[in-house]
Each structure stands twice: as structure tokens, then as C-alpha cells.
Amino acid sequence: MSTVLSLRGPVSEFAKFLLDVAEKWQREWQRRRAFEADPDPSKPKFFITAAFPYPNSPLHLGHSRTYTITDVYARFKRMQGYNVLFPMGFHFTGTPILTMAEAIASGDRELIDLMVSVYDVPEHDLDKLKDPLSMARYFSEEAKKAMIEAGYSIDWRREFTTVDEEFKRFITWQFLRLREKGYIKQGTHPVGWCPVHSMPVGMHDTKGDAEPEIGEYTLILFRIEDEGAYLAAATLRPETVFGVTNMWVNPDTLYVKVRLGNKVVIVSERAAFKLRFQKDGVEVIGKLKGSELVGKVVVNPATGRRVPVLPAEFVDPDTATGVVMSVPAHAPYDYVALRELLESGKLSRIAPNVDASMLEPIPLIEVEGYSEVPARDVVEKHGIRSQRERNKLDEATKEVYSAEFRRGRMRRDLAKLLEFGVPAELKPYVEAPVVMDIAGKPVPEARERTKLWLEALGYADKMYEIMNRPVYCRCGTEIVVKVLKDQWFIDYGNSEWKESVLKAFESIRVVPPEIRQEFLKTVDWLHERAVARTRGLGTPLPWDKSWIIESLSDSTIYMAFYTVIHKIRKYGIHPSKLVPEFWDYVMLGKGDPEKLASKLGIPRDVLEDLRSEFDYWYPLDSRHSGRDLVPNHLTFFVYNHVALFPPDKWPKQIVVNGFVMLEGKKMSKSLRNILPLRRALRIYGPDTVRAAVLVSAELLQDADFSDAVARSVMTQLNKVVKHVENAVESTGDTERRETLADRWLDSRLAIHVKSVAQKLEELRIRAASIELLYEMEHDLEAYLDLRGGSIGPAYRRFVESWVKMLAPITPHIAEEMWQRLGHETLVSLEKWPEPPAYHPETIAAVYYLRLLIDDIKSIAKVIKTKPKKAIVVTAPRNWWRLFRAAAEFAGSREALRETIKAARELGLDAKRAQRVARRIVELVQRLDPEIVKDLLKVGELDEQRVLSQNADYIAAKAGLEEVVVLSMEEDARLHENLPDEARRKLEAVAPLRPAVILQ
RNA sequence: GCGGGGGUGCCCGAGCCAGGUCAAAGGGGGCGGGCUGAGGACCCGCUGGCGUAGGCCUGCGUGGGUUCAAAUCCCACCCCCCGCACCA
């Protein structure tokens, strides 16, 4: 059993043929400059782009999905008479290329092997990957070749990369203007940080691609009695500070005294190291063992209560400050550690002044389904005995935490826990914040209030921590949180901007419509976003050249750049002349071209030409990408257009597609099951790959590429070739008689021409592809069947249109077939076919034949003896009144009544009228509504004629030797010669429902 | 946790927004037949159950509800997938 991944060359003769045909037509398209698009005021324009690739590896099958969909749509629009521009560029901006080239240069065996054996990079090219820019150039050239070989109808004159000098000038303009509008801000932000590299690290920079999750601990400062220092407890649940019975430190850990703001605090040594990345002036001024802290007494800043410091081994010095406040009522760890300590009997030795009653859990939060001390409930439920049972404790903690967070409320009498030594008359003032803002409130609100209150008093601070710790940098160093100061942000949270973006979305067509909601929600929660990095390829921030504009930020309006770059080069305009005023004019029409011309030394008509080309193509009519770009790139793309361009230049449509799986599995580096696009094209031929990716899933679904689907597609393409050969050979055939079959095939074509166009317009490309490849072929087979194998005049008409309609999805074979049909034009540039005349009575007649054949077969199946002969008896022709009655009232309650009425008027007795009417009403209900419409249009069907002319066909299809067609009114003898049972069947004969008597 | 999407026949997957045309498209697999020396190639048929006459029964995550009528609408529950930012 061969899998796709073991293949290298064409799988079959036919695949080889497809490949040869593809190369031939790719050369031809290039020679004739078929897809180079220039402004043409006589035609409506259609500007379409797909997200350009990031060239840190060759394109694989997954990438091809978006581009194939874009290309199909571009080709379809072209055939509909639009002047279509489909350009492509390459995104060099960013750091992954940098780190990857570094890794290759340093001889990373794993990566090198991936390149060679998974991605087909020849060993002799490896040297080219050792330098970032050279790598990007290498892979972008590879990608371009792949795109050409896949048959994408791209105008390559407009190709560029994001490190081209002209592009950098364009981005410079963009960012200057964004800043002027107040959308660029400077601020402070926590990031994952490698202390060794001194660089922010994201998921792709970590071992095992772990995304560092940054969380925020609240530090609460407990003053040590009789000392100036504070113990800095770290907690995720500051609202529980009211229930602290004691503090926990790890006795075996080294703690340090550090200066933090205007206080001296005690934290673990590791915590002090981390805090230096987050706070200014963190300075270690002393060290001590955890055990030295044990037994000291500290004061709870929230309640004034004095509580002892006790030892606990569960305290992890590497998590936050390594100091924990103990809330046994609501924290299972604290509850268990405390119980263990009490049961050990060591308390009196450790803290002689503390007795067990002081350590009783203090209930703070009421939550339905739990007692006053939820921690105890879950500890007992899980049967936890020791603080070493970490898994169980984590489970229990999660349980209490989430129950209390979601359903818990602070107790109303919280204030009674306050023990500040203040005079009674001052007490209300001291208690006010707690009574007003915290007591009785739901936990989330109380948490926020408690934090703010203690912060205001100077007893709380915050510390960021990696929540999924430990996360390691690729260099092996554990990542910490760094608070980056003076980082530049783009303010996607700006509310006016947001509103405009939401307004823009109202007029953007989002395909498929289901994804619109996701866009709106993205706009909803988007806020400031770092806009620049300290390293990587790209454009420096114009006003602070130490920063490089980050890759998702320099790729938001680049579609506009396609409209003019080829002419900037053609006119030989030096990048130094591409100043902001230049772009203001070209992109926005601002400024006086005369003055600009003399200032820049660019001829005025050149400037005007650039401006008018931009103005011709913009706005963008369709933007395509994978669904992963919805919450970032695609949304930013709308934001930036809204910020910089007037509404008539805002994008018109966004099309989003799912991914590609290989043989049912996600393609991934670790599974090494990535199929490089160029290899796939060689194995199956480009048309096969395109069609296989398209037929295997609807737009948003993940497509599953498999050898089986590819082969099935090839089979169908082979049939296309056969039919074209038939059509060509049959030209001048003597059999030119038009039959029912010809009218039927024309009608079917009329349906397909409209239906495929509609499906493509709606980007239901899978449905369109199935109709083109399978259903239309079935129609041709059915046609030949109806004609008993001979080829009539409708055949060629159908095949010609079919080849045209196939051109968007399988352009190469379509070109080849178009040529074989005797045309010298390119089918890619042909017009979408016009639908031929539609004959409702013929469609209905064939439908009627099939209905009858199915009926005969289904009866034959039940009666077990194999029949040889069928006698088919049709209803009298004037009974079609019954059909019309049933059809006109179809769906309504009156249908049956009206039909019975009509039957009575025809002279049927009550019982029979009811029987006949019921049959016809039931049938109409089951029928394809299109057929019902057709039949109503025609009024009636000459059943006698249809059946007798096709009696042989019916017999063949139903596996009978003979079919005799009779009419109710025709032959009285018939009735007499039949057995009783068969005669009873005649009682129920109705239009479209002839009696069938099998013998 | 927040946000988005989804659970359909042996499998994959359409249908659901606009309820009846739905035992439910299409593909795969399986079974039978044809073709053939033979076939994993091609063509035809069948592929929920029952039925000696074109019919009946069950059925679209689970449980309720609305309706003459529900895979489709409403409510609750269970389960699955994806995204959550300085990264392309």
C-alpha cells in the first residue's frame, strides 16, 4: 500500500499527461501575457489578493488551498467579463527566518533533516539557507515556481518583498500617518523574556512550542511585628486576605530582603531575581533561611489581625514570591498543611505562643453546595491526607476556586473580622471600604475591590508570573516575565476606531457568513498591540529606528502597493523620492501633483499615472486567507484601511478557508507528514491537486487530501478527455437527429451553467466542483444511455460549455481540450457560457421515466419472482386536471380536497376519486419542486407518447424483456383479461402514476 | 475562564438560517452483477429494519417543548474542536 508521502514522480500515465499539458499551457499563458492586468476603463475591474507567504520553508499542500480558491475565483470572475488583477508578493518581515537561518548555520541536524527529507531541499542548496535574507530569497523563489506550476493566474510584474526599499518607504508613510492620527502609543507591557538572550519570547521561541502564559499575582505585604520589613505574600485570590490564619514559608529555602519601592520586603531568592525584570530599583540587602522566619508574627494589613509564620513544604520558592498567606477555609493546600502541622504536635515547639484555636479556618465566602469551610469539604471528598498529594490537591483547589469564583459571595458580616486597634468612633470609617465594596459582593467583584483598596493603602503590589511554568527558551534558559517599558503599541482598543471598523464590516461581504461573528468579536476584544520588535527583518519605526515594525503590522495595507509598484520600477523612480507626500498623493489624492512633481523631480504625468492606476484598482474586491488569520491579520487589515483610506476604498469582501489535512491527519513537522506543493504537483498533475483540494471540503471545513481522492479526480478528468474525443470524432456524424435526449441534455446544461456560476459566486467551490466533475459527467452518460449510445447534436454543445466551465478549477486540461475542440483562443480568457434553451416538458418527461423505472424495480424487488414483462397503464389524459389541482394547492390543506373535487368532476365515484386524489397529492408532495413547476408550466405530459417512445429504454433499465404501454381509455379487453388483483390496481391509476402490472 | 464553531447513516461529510421535496446529497468502504486469463482498473445495481406489488416502522448527541408536520424552530443537559496577542 503506497502512501502519498512515498511517491516522487507521476503516479500514472495519465498523471504524466496532465503534467505535460500543464507545462505546455503555463508556457503559453506566459508567452501571451494572459494574466497581466492593466487598467481598462471599458471593463469592470476585480482586484483580488490572497495573504502572501512567509518564506521560511517551501510551500506545502496546506498553503495551496487559499491560493487555489483565490485563483478559481479570479478565473471565474475573468470569464464573467471582469478585468481581474491577481498579484502576489512575499513577506520577509519577522524573526522566525532569523532564528531558522541561525539554526541551520549552527548545524541544527533536526532542522536540516527536515529541510532535506521532508521539504525536498537539495543538499547542495543548504548553504543558501544559512543567511536570513538568502533563505527568504531562496524560499520565495521556490514558492513562486510552485505557484506558477500550480497554474495560478497571477500578474507577476507586481511581485515584491517586504524588505524592498520601495516597500519600506510605503510602510514608513503608513506609520507616520497612523501616529499622526493618534493610533500609535507608547506604554508598558509584560512579556515572556529570556534572561540570556535579553529578548521577548513567544511560542515559536520556546522548547516544545509552549506559549508562555502570563498571569498576575497580587502581592500583599504583611508587616513583621517589631521589624521594619514586610513579608510579601503572593496570591491569585486577594479577596481571601480576610481569612488569613497564618503565613507559610518554606523552611529550607533561601529568602532575601529586598528594597521594593519605599519598603523592605522579604521574598524568595528566585523571586527577587524575577522581580528585577518587572520593577525598578530592586536591590537585595540581606539573606536569611526560611526557617529563620518561622515563628515570627506578622500583621494582616486588611484586618489588623496578628498571625504567625509557619513552615510548609508545599511552598514553592520558584512560584511568585515563595511566600504564601494561609486561608484554610477556602484553600485546600492551606487546610491540609495546617492539619498536618497540628497533628504532628510540633506546633508548640515551632511557635510556642500559638495555640490551635488561633488557626481555626475563618469562613469568608458563601457558596451553594458547600459548607462554611469549602476547603474541608473537598479535602474530605477526595480523601487527601498530606500536602504531598499534589495532584489531588490541585484538583481540589481548582474545584473550590471555580465554584467560589462563579457562584460565591463574600459574607455580609465580613467587617466583624477587622481587628484594628482604633477608637470605636473611628471604626465605621475604617470599616467603610469593606462594608460598602466587598462584603456581600460576588467573588470577582470583591477580588478587584480588595486589590484596589490594599493598593491604595500601599499594602498591595503586583507581580507577573509564567502560569504554565516552567517554560524554557530554545537555549534552555527558563523564561521569566519582563515588563517592557516604552514599547510601541498600535491602539486597536481606541473606541472611535473600533466603531468605524464595525461600521466598515456592515458593508463587507464575509464568506462564509458564519465567520462574520468571529470578526465582530475580535474587534470587540482587541486592544493595544505591540507594533515593533527589537530585531528581525523589516522596516524601522520612522521616529525610533531602534525598533523594527513587526510583521503583522506591516502587512495590513500592502494590497494597495501592488497597484503601483510595477510602474514605480518601470519609471525608474528612486526610493529616496518615495517620501510621505508622494504616497499621500498616490494613495489618497492629496496635494498638488504639479508642486509635488517639481519638488521630487518626478514628471507630473508619471505621478498622475500612478494615482490613476491606484484609483482604478482600489478598493480591494476580495481578500482571501486561512481562518487562522481571522483574529489578527484580517481584522488588522480592515482596521488599517479604515484608519488610512476613505470609505470608498475600504475592502469589499473577505473570504476565509479552512486547512488541509493529509490522509485524515493534520500535517505537521513532528509527524513529518508534510506534502510539499511542488512534489504533489509532480505526482498527480496540477489540475488533479487543485480539484482534489477543492472537492474534499466546503470552504471553512478542513480539506482532506488523499491519494484516493486524487485518483478519483483523475478518473473524472480522464472522462472529460474521452468525452472531448467523442465530441471531436462525432463531428460530421450521420446521426444528427434531435431526440428527447438532446432536448434533455440542453436543458440540463442550462441548469448547470446557472447553478455552477451561482455556486462559484458564493464560493461554494466544493459543490461547484462536484457538479462539474461528477454530476455533469453523469448527465452525459445518461444522455448516451437515453440515445442508446449514439451521439446527437446536443453532445458537442454540452462538451464545449463544460470545458469552459471547468477552466477555473482545472485550467490546464481545459485549455488542452479547448484546443482539441478546434479553438485557437485561450479558454481562460473565454466568456462563461450562455445557458441554452430550457425545455421543461423534456426535463419532466425524463424525470417521469426514471420515476417509473424506480417503481418497477422496487416492485420487482418485493415480489421475489423475476418478472419478464411489465404492462404499464396510464391514466386518461384529461385526468391531468388532477395533477394541476394537486400542484397548485401543493403544501396547503386544500390540496386533497381540491383534487378530489376535480376527480369527482371527471365522473369518478366518491371512493375512487379519493384513492386517485390521495395518490397524486402524495406524489406531488414528494416530487422535486422544480419539476412540479416545470410540469405546471407545461400543463400536462403526454404519458402515452413518452412511454411508448422509450419502452425499450425502460425495459433495459428495469431489467425486463418487454414493456407494454396501454391507456385506461384505450382497450376494454385489457380490463377483462386481467386477474382481479391487477384490475384493482387500475382503480388507483393517476397522472404520473401509471399502474404497473408485472408478469 | 472568555470568545467562535460543531455533534447527521459503517466512515468522511452536505442539509439546518427561510419546518413538509429527508431514509436524508456527494465521496469512501462493503456486498452483488457485468467486463476480463485475472484484477486493487472500468461499468451497473444494492448498502437502517420489515414487507409476495410501488408500502410501513425506526431514525439525524441526550431529554423536554412548539407545530397538522422538526435533522431543521425553542429550552435544558452532555460531549468535541479552534482562537485568546506581541507570533507568523
Side-chain angles (χ1 to χ4, degrees):
Chain A
M1 178 66 201
S2 69
T3 71
V4 189
L5 289 170
S6 66
L7 301 169
R8 285 297 183 277
V11 273
S12 63
E13 276 301 306
F14 188 63
K16 178 76 175 82
F17 165 74
L18 288 174
L19 197 57
D20 292 341
V21 164
E23 282 168 9
K24 169 180 166 188
W25 290 101
Q26 283 156 14
R27 276 197 305 273
E28 200 55 23
W29 291 331
Q30 197 185 6
R31 195 180 65 79
R32 301 203 206 177
R33 301 175 173 274
F35 307 122
E36 294 182 2
D38 292 308
D40 176 354
S42 72
K43 275 184 176 179
K45 63 93 188 180
F46 197 83
F47 183 25
I48 180 170
T49 64
F52 54 14
Y54 184 70
N56 66 341
S57 53
L59 291 188
H60 57 70
L61 203 62
H63 298 111
S64 77
R65 179 124 187 252
T66 303
Y67 301 129
T68 302
I69 290 167
T70 311
D71 185 56
V72 169
Y73 199 56
R75 286 174 173 276
F76 171 63
K77 285 286 167 186
R78 206 173 277 126
M79 293 183 79
Q80 282 194 316
Y82 288 91
N83 185 19
V84 173
L85 171 58
F86 175 19
M88 189 54 67
F90 296 95
H91 200 195
F92 283 22
T93 312
T95 49
I97 287 177
L98 232 60
T99 44
M100 220 154 164
E102 274 172 19
I104 298 233
S106 70
D108 184 326
R109 295 218 51 83
E110 205 181 312
L111 186 59
I112 290 172
D113 182 57
L114 189 78
M115 287 300 167
V116 173
S117 47
V118 174
Y119 281 123
D120 296 345
V121 174
E123 302 225 13
H124 58 80
D125 281 342
L126 283 173
D127 273 349
K128 297 178 188 163
L129 307 185
K130 291 180 177 169
D131 167 72
L133 205 55
S134 153
M135 172 187 265
R137 298 224 181 282
Y138 180 80
F139 285 135
S140 60
E141 277 160 31
E142 273 291 306
K144 181 176 176 181
K145 282 178 198 160
M147 288 177 172
I148 290 170
E149 288 165 11
Y152 300 145
S153 56
I154 291 169
D155 180 351
W156 285 107
R157 297 172 305 166
R158 301 165 188 262
E159 175 193 354
F160 67 89
T161 84
T162 57
V163 298
D164 294 352
E165 215 38 58
E166 296 89 342
F167 186 76
K168 289 182 172 178
R169 300 287 170 154
F170 174 65
I171 295 301
T172 299
W173 168 75
Q174 178 189 358
F175 275 80
L176 286 172
R177 293 297 173 256
L178 282 176
R179 195 181 184 202
E180 279 170 12
K181 288 170 191 283
Y183 294 148
I184 306 284
K185 296 208 299 206
Q186 206 171 16
T188 298
H189 196 70
V191 295
W193 185 264
C194 171
V196 170
H197 276 83
S198 284
M199 203 183 96
V201 283
M203 188 165 73
H204 59 287
D205 306 311
T206 62
K207 273 195 176 164
D209 285 344
E211 174 76 46
E213 292 164 27
I214 296 171
E216 188 185 312
Y217 278 87
T218 300
L219 304 190
I220 300 181
L221 307 184
F222 290 70
R223 185 171 54 80
I224 301 174
E225 207 166 50
D226 308 323
E227 289 183 31
Y230 291 81
L231 212 46
T235 179
L236 294 168
R237 304 187 57 188
E239 77 282 10
T240 62
V241 68
F242 299 99
V244 171
T245 56
N246 61 287
M247 302 296 283
W248 296 117
V249 296
N250 190 320
D252 303 322
T253 292
L254 196 60
Y255 285 83
V256 293
K257 283 186 179 175
V258 297
R259 216 179 282 287
L260 185 69
N262 56 2
K263 293 195 173 69
V264 172
V265 304
I266 295 172
V267 298
S268 73
E269 190 179 34
R270 176 72 183 165
F273 173 76
K274 292 179 191 170
L275 280 170
R276 275 201 294 268
F277 294 97
Q278 301 183 17
K279 314 265 179 202
D280 287 330
V282 175
E283 181 194 347
V284 175
I285 52 177
K287 294 188 180 187
L288 64 167
K289 281 272 285 200
S291 52
E292 293 175 51
L293 290 162
V294 171
K296 292 191 191 265
V297 173
V298 300
V299 179
N300 185 334
T303 61
R305 181 184 170 115
R306 300 168 62 251
V307 297
V309 178
L310 298 176
E313 55 186 290
F314 78 84
V315 173
D316 177 3
D318 288 351
T319 298
T321 57
V323 178
V324 176
M325 62 185 204
S326 168
V327 187
H330 301 284
Y333 267 106
D334 299 339
Y335 181 83
V336 171
L338 216 43
R339 197 177 60 186
E340 261 190 290
L341 183 66
L342 291 172
E343 282 170 0
S344 74
K346 289 179 188 159
L347 181 63
S348 54
R349 190 167 48 79
I350 295 164
N353 302 328
V354 178
D355 76 83
S357 69
M358 293 164 65
L359 301 174
E360 279 297 306
I362 302 167
L364 304 171
I365 299 165
E366 293 170 330
V367 54
E368 212 187 298
Y370 291 88
S371 71
E372 279 202 324
V373 184
R376 180 169 57 213
D377 299 346
V378 293
V379 164
E380 281 168 7
K381 185 174 127 196
H382 288 87
I384 303 168
R385 306 181 164 278
S386 154
Q387 56 188 295
R388 289 198 194 86
E389 294 178 70
R390 287 192 167 257
N391 288 343
K392 280 187 181 175
L393 275 166
D394 286 340
E395 183 71 20
T397 300
K398 221 171 136 184
E399 197 178 317
V400 177
Y401 187 105
S402 107
E404 291 185 346
F405 184 77
R406 276 190 285 177
R407 310 197 308 271
R409 276 182 174 274
M410 304 304 285
R411 293 173 66 114
R412 299 205 164 276
D413 57 359
L414 208 58
K416 80 169 200 283
L417 296 172
L418 305 189
E419 304 179 5
F420 295 111
V422 292
E425 66 271 24
L426 291 179
K427 232 175 162 183
Y429 298 98
V430 174
E431 291 176 357
V434 175
V435 174
M436 310 269 296
D437 293 337
I438 302 170
K441 293 284 190 282
V443 165
E445 190 184 335
R447 178 172 303 168
E448 214 39 50
R449 294 292 188 170
T450 307
K451 200 160 76 181
L452 289 173
W453 174 53
L454 290 176
E455 260 171 17
L457 295 173
Y459 291 118
D461 201 338
K462 63 184 166 196
M463 173 177 180
Y464 296 106
E465 180 61 287
I466 306 286
M467 302 310 279
N468 53 340
R469 212 183 57 74
V471 174
Y472 298 96
C473 176
R474 286 204 191 280
C475 72
T477 316
E478 188 178 340
I479 286 170
V480 299
V481 179
K482 159 97 174 169
V483 173
L484 262 189
K485 285 188 171 177
D486 305 329
Q487 165 75 286
W488 290 99
F489 294 94
I490 183 159
D491 186 11
Y492 290 137
N494 180 305
S495 55
E496 282 163 39
W497 199 3
K498 267 189 191 195
E499 259 173 58
S500 309
V501 170
L502 287 173
K503 194 149 173 277
F505 266 108
E506 284 172 18
S507 53
I508 296 176
R509 181 182 179 215
V510 177
V511 185
E514 302 93 276
I515 206 84
R516 173 180 291 274
Q517 194 61 16
E518 216 169 307
F519 277 108
L520 300 184
K521 289 293 172 184
T522 302
V523 175
D524 225 31
W525 61 252
L526 223 47
H527 51 264
E528 299 92 340
R529 196 196 136 82
V531 82
R533 303 207 75 188
T534 48
R535 45 184 245 147
L537 299 177
T539 308
L541 214 51
W543 57 87
D544 185 352
K545 306 265 166 141
S546 62
W547 292 91
I548 305 288
I549 295 168
E550 169 276 337
S551 64
L552 282 176
S553 301
D554 83 345
S555 58
T556 57
I557 58 163
Y558 70 90
M559 315 81 206
F561 191 71
Y562 286 127
T563 63
V564 291
I565 176 59
H566 63 308
K567 282 194 173 161
I568 290 176
R569 289 198 207 107
K570 191 183 98 185
Y571 290 125
I573 302 172
H574 193 270
S576 62
K577 294 184 177 177
L578 306 179
V579 296
E581 294 86 340
F582 170 87
W583 298 108
D584 277 341
Y585 176 70
V586 172
M587 296 284 145
L588 304 173
K590 274 192 198 162
D592 178 358
E594 190 59 55
K595 282 187 196 151
L596 192 61
S598 62
K599 182 181 164 193
L600 297 178
I602 302 173
R604 178 183 170 147
D605 57 341
V606 166
L607 286 172
E608 283 171 345
D609 184 35
L610 293 172
R611 168 65 191 163
S612 88
E613 174 125 15
F614 167 82
D615 204 40
Y616 178 80
W617 293 115
Y618 239 59
L620 185 63
D621 295 286
S622 197
R623 175 71 179 165
H624 297 246
S625 99
R627 62 180 312 173
D628 50 330
L629 299 187
V630 170
N632 43 68
H633 163 75
L634 288 172
T635 305
F636 302 162
F637 149 75
V638 176
Y639 259 95
N640 280 270
H641 275 82
V642 166
L644 296 163
F645 293 101
D648 65 333
K649 299 293 185 200
W650 293 353
K652 304 277 238 208
Q653 172 170 288
I654 295 175
V655 179
V656 177
N657 60 267
F659 307 123
V660 178
M661 300 192 296
L662 191 63
E663 305 281 0
K665 290 199 197 70
K666 197 173 164 179
M667 282 194 279
S668 77
K669 287 179 195 169
S670 57
L671 288 175
R672 298 173 67 89
N673 65 339
I674 292 167
L675 180 57
L677 180 54
R678 296 188 73 191
R679 193 200 298 168
L681 296 172
R682 279 197 304 276
I683 296 172
Y684 299 107
D687 288 337
T688 312
V689 173
R690 293 168 63 111
V693 166
L694 295 174
V695 290
S696 75
E698 290 298 343
L699 200 55
L700 206 53
Q701 220 75 49
D702 289 352
D704 184 9
F705 186 92
S706 63
D707 184 66
V709 173
R711 284 173 194 270
S712 156
V713 165
M714 279 197 285
T715 301
Q716 295 310 112
L717 292 179
N718 204 350
K719 289 177 188 172
V720 174
V721 175
K722 294 262 160 62
H723 284 299
V724 169
E725 278 167 5
N726 278 346
V728 171
E729 280 163 20
S730 74
T731 313
D733 199 303
T734 49
E735 179 58 272
R736 303 296 296 169
R737 195 168 53 89
E738 289 255 358
T739 69
L740 173 84
D742 291 283
R743 287 192 303 281
W744 179 79
L745 191 65
D746 279 342
S747 306
R748 292 295 298 169
L749 178 59
I751 292 171
H752 290 307
V753 166
K754 288 184 203 157
S755 145
V756 172
Q758 191 185 342
K759 283 170 180 163
L760 288 176
E761 183 51 55
E762 289 167 9
L763 276 302
R764 286 161 56 215
I765 298 183
R766 170 183 146 99
S769 303
I770 287 173
E771 184 166 352
L772 282 163
L773 287 173
Y774 297 93
E775 294 173 17
M776 288 185 75
E777 203 277 335
H778 283 326
D779 280 351
L780 277 175
E781 297 291 347
Y783 165 84
L784 293 175
D785 223 25
L786 271 171
R787 283 192 60 113
S790 82
I791 290 174
Y795 190 82
R796 190 183 169 109
R797 291 198 285 271
F798 190 95
V799 168
E800 291 243 348
S801 294
W802 191 28
V803 166
K804 283 192 200 169
M805 291 163 73
L806 281 164
I809 67 164
T810 55
H812 308 94
I813 196 74
E815 290 289 4
E816 182 70 14
M817 294 303 106
W818 189 242
Q819 191 180 50
R820 287 196 190 178
L821 285 165
H823 301 283
E824 287 182 359
T825 54
L826 289 175
V827 75
S828 300
L829 304 180
E830 280 293 314
K831 281 270 184 331
W832 190 255
E834 287 296 320
Y838 180 74
H839 309 283
E841 76 291 349
T842 312
I843 288 287
V846 172
Y847 193 86
Y848 171 60
L849 285 174
R850 287 180 176 167
L851 214 55
L852 178 63
I853 292 163
D854 278 350
D855 264 359
I856 294 174
K857 284 202 292 203
S858 121
I859 298 165
K861 197 178 130 199
V862 181
I863 62 172
K864 306 219 164 130
T865 52
K866 194 170 157 55
K868 290 187 173 147
K869 176 178 172 186
I871 301 170
V872 180
V873 187
T874 63
R877 242 187 123 161
N878 62 354
W879 286 23
W880 272 85
R881 272 188 71 181
L882 306 186
F883 171 82
R884 291 193 293 272
E888 258 164 59
F889 292 92
S892 80
R893 308 259 207 110
E894 278 90 282
L896 189 60
R897 200 178 340 127
E898 290 297 322
T899 312
I900 292 172
K901 209 170 100 193
R904 296 282 293 166
E905 285 164 15
L906 285 170
L908 297 179
D909 65 61
K911 200 174 160 199
R912 195 157 167 211
Q914 191 166 3
R915 251 180 108 179
V916 171
R918 168 156 299 139
R919 284 200 78 168
I920 189 72
V921 167
E922 275 172 5
L923 178 73
V924 166
Q925 210 171 61
R926 282 211 318 268
L927 240 39
D928 182 341
E930 290 301 316
I931 297 290
V932 174
K933 253 189 253 165
D934 284 347
L935 282 165
L936 267 180
K937 239 182 271 167
V938 185
E940 61 185 67
L941 202 61
D942 186 347
E943 294 178 67
Q944 279 294 306
R945 215 181 101 220
V946 172
L947 296 185
S948 45
Q949 283 181 355
N950 295 282
D952 292 347
Y953 175 75
I954 298 168
K957 280 292 183 184
L960 298 169
E961 288 172 10
E962 191 188 2
V963 172
V964 177
V965 181
L966 297 172
S967 160
M968 284 286 284
E969 64 249 270
E970 184 174 326
D971 192 341
R973 275 174 312 152
L974 163 75
H975 306 239
E976 284 147 28
N977 295 343
L978 284 173
D980 285 354
E981 197 191 297
R983 286 174 66 172
R984 244 180 290 125
K985 300 189 65 58
L986 296 178
E987 298 279 299
V989 164
L992 281 179
R993 307 240 68 190
V996 175
I997 299 150
L998 296 185
Q999 293 178 338

